[in-house]
Amino acid sequence: MTEPDWEGRLAGPAAMGRLVSRAFEDRLHGRGLPRARVDLLCVSADVLAAAELAGMRPSPADQALRSVLGVMAAAWEQAMTAHGMLRGTIDACRREVGREVEELLDEHARLVRGRRAADRPVPCPPAEAEGM
């Protein structure tokens, strides 16, 4: 059995899959792809990943995100290839999303360590708190 996060919760694979998909969507929007095309790619990737995600169990957030990243990256790659996107764009998106997820995992680990050490919530960095 996996150990829940510091507040006793486990993260579901579908939720983490949405997080990864949003990162891919952001990358493609940043490259100027129209919303409708990105939405179609998102649907394709979600359909391609659905069966595998359904077979995964909830786990602590960092573990769930790590395991879902590979599934979603492969699904997005397959969807982008099927929709005629250039290999360079596909590879760049995978690298950028992978890097973003690793940064998120690093931040999560820092917050968990801080929470466990202090046994209290760790506030968001000031720049993030101001935008909320």
Side-chain angles (χ1 to χ4, degrees):
M1 180 82 185
T2 57
E3 181 181 327
D5 71 9
W6 71 83
E7 293 181 346
R9 295 181 302 234
L10 296 175
M16 289 301 183
R18 283 190 299 277
L19 186 149
V20 174
S21 276
R22 284 188 196 118
F24 274 97
E25 291 175 44
D26 289 347
R27 294 298 152 275
L28 294 172
H29 284 300
R31 294 180 184 292
L33 268 72
R35 164 124 344 250
R37 184 160 185 212
V38 174
D39 289 348
L40 182 59
L41 287 164
C42 186
V43 169
S44 296
D46 288 348
V47 167
L48 290 166
E52 193 166 350
L53 292 179
M56 299 171 88
R57 293 179 181 256
S59 57
D62 58 336
Q63 292 174 17
L65 187 52
R66 276 191 182 90
S67 58
V68 165
L69 175 60
V71 173
M72 293 307 299
W76 271 90
E77 180 174 353
Q78 190 175 347
M80 289 187 283
T81 300
H83 287 266
M85 297 196 64
L86 299 174
R87 179 89 254 158
T89 300
I90 295 169
D91 292 343
C93 284
R94 279 192 76 148
R95 275 192 311 276
E96 292 166 12
V97 168
R99 193 171 28 251
E100 182 177 338
V101 168
E102 285 302 319
E103 290 171 4
L104 181 61
L105 287 165
D106 289 345
E107 179 180 345
H108 175 75
R110 181 184 58 78
L111 292 171
V112 168
R113 280 192 308 272
R115 172 63 190 235
R116 286 184 177 152
D119 196 33
R120 59 185 163 75
V122 177
C124 292
E128 293 176 18
E130 291 171 8
M132 294 182 156

